[in-house]
Amino acid sequence: MIGSGNGVGSASHTTPMSEINTTPLVDVMLVLLVIFIITAPLLTHAVKIDLPQASSQPLPEKPEVISVSIDAAGKMYWNDAALVQGELKVKLQEIAGKKPQPELNIRADKETRYQVLAEVMADAQNAGVTKLGFVSEPKN
């Protein structure tokens, strides 16, 4: 039967094509090759830059800050913990021997007698405390 069927050959050859169409693959490969040929010289172009050299040293350790508070009655507090009589001198000697030496901040109520402040400063000096500061709160 010639001329019958779907018009693409004879009826005896109805098996599907088993060949791969490589034309689109070759087209894609040629396009990629052209792109590579164009961009390859751009990738090899180098710009010399002199970057700065960084050097660093460790930051010095900040000493801790210890607060001695004195209320109007003369009662003392070491970082908000109440002190008993004579305990201040022991604690001052402890911080005087530390390296780096902590900073001692004295905070007193405005009604505190000057004699109490002078005794705390004298005890700190006798213990060997070299970093002493006063903390005051401004009026509102």
Side-chain angles (χ1 to χ4, degrees):
M1 280 188 160
I2 298 178
S4 65
N6 59 6
V8 181
S10 65
S12 63
H13 296 299
T14 58
T15 60
M17 277 180 59
S18 62
E19 299 175 9
I20 298 176
N21 189 1
T22 59
T23 305
L25 178 64
V26 171
D27 289 345
V28 170
M29 295 304 287
L30 286 174
V31 169
L32 290 175
L33 180 64
V34 169
I35 291 173
F36 180 72
I37 289 171
I38 292 172
T39 59
L42 298 176
L43 297 175
T44 59
H45 183 68
V47 177
K48 183 155 175 76
I49 298 175
D50 294 327
L51 296 175
Q53 299 295 324
S55 62
S56 63
Q57 296 178 354
L59 294 174
E61 240 183 78
K62 284 186 141 184
E64 68 176 301
V65 177
I66 296 174
S67 175
V68 174
S69 303
I70 307 169
D71 63 8
K75 184 154 177 68
M76 291 184 225
Y77 300 90
W78 184 273
N79 286 340
D80 298 328
L83 289 174
V84 295
Q85 188 69 23
E87 191 178 8
L88 178 65
K89 291 181 182 179
V90 174
K91 289 196 176 266
L92 289 173
Q93 289 174 349
E94 286 176 9
I95 67 165
K98 288 184 179 180
K99 297 290 181 195
Q101 191 177 83
E103 183 177 326
L104 181 67
N105 286 342
I106 299 176
R107 180 181 309 213
D109 187 76
K110 67 179 183 177
E111 301 297 324
T112 303
R113 296 182 48 211
Y114 177 74
Q115 180 180 355
V116 176
L117 288 172
E119 288 173 0
V120 170
M121 289 188 297
D123 290 343
Q125 183 180 14
N126 291 338
V129 176
T130 58
K131 297 179 180 179
L132 181 68
F134 292 96
V135 178
S136 63
E137 294 180 10
K139 292 183 179 180
N140 290 336

